[in-house]
Amino acid sequence: MPARTHRQQVADSDVDLTPMLDVVFIMLIFFIVTASFVKEYGLDLGNPAHRPQSVSESSAILVAITESNLVTVAGRQTEASSVRALLESQLAEAPEAPVVVRAHPDSSNGVLATVIDKARLAGAKSVSLAH
């Protein structure tokens, strides 16, 4: 067996990186393709001032939330936890009436969510936000 030179020993110890690069590129393509099919869900919270006004406020039940988180249902001031009872009595008189919630920009989002939930539980078929 002939003696190997130093150059041949170095050449034999090189690692071929081609298969590893192939795997990396295949994984990259896989993640790019799968990421483009992910559908994100969310609410459209655009400015309601630019949308057409389809509900007249005279026929709607107005729920207002002040900046200090006080809730007023059809002119009667109440707490967020009592909104359902007042809305049920209002909806008994006009079952098809939409509920329009007008929240002050500085009011709590939690109070707004509670009021919307209570309106749905009271049986309102249409609950919308006003600016």
Side-chain angles (χ1 to χ4, degrees):
M1 185 152 137
R4 291 185 157 188
T5 62
H6 181 66
R7 227 177 208 170
Q8 286 178 334
Q9 289 175 351
V10 172
D12 289 341
S13 66
D14 285 344
V15 176
D16 187 20
L17 296 178
T18 306
M20 186 181 69
L21 291 174
D22 290 343
V23 170
V24 169
F25 284 127
I26 289 172
M27 288 175 49
L28 179 68
I29 291 170
F30 172 77
F31 287 123
I32 289 173
V33 170
T34 57
S36 66
F37 290 121
V38 174
K39 183 171 175 83
E40 295 182 15
Y41 296 98
L43 295 175
D44 180 23
L45 295 177
N47 189 354
H50 297 297
R51 295 187 184 152
Q53 194 76 3
S54 62
V55 176
S56 67
E57 289 193 13
S58 61
S59 66
I61 300 169
L62 181 63
V63 179
I65 303 172
T66 64
E67 63 183 320
S68 57
N69 296 322
L70 296 175
V71 180
T72 305
V73 178
R76 297 174 62 187
Q77 194 169 16
T78 185
E79 294 181 9
S81 60
S82 305
V83 169
R84 181 177 179 181
L86 286 173
L87 284 176
E88 284 175 346
S89 66
Q90 293 287 325
L91 290 169
E93 297 171 8
E96 297 297 320
V99 176
V100 177
V101 180
R102 180 177 290 152
H104 191 276
D106 294 332
S107 65
S108 170
N109 290 335
V111 174
L112 176 63
T114 302
V115 168
I116 292 173
D117 286 342
K118 298 289 183 180
R120 295 267 186 214
L121 291 173
K125 295 180 179 164
S126 172
V127 179
S128 58
L129 297 175
H131 182 63

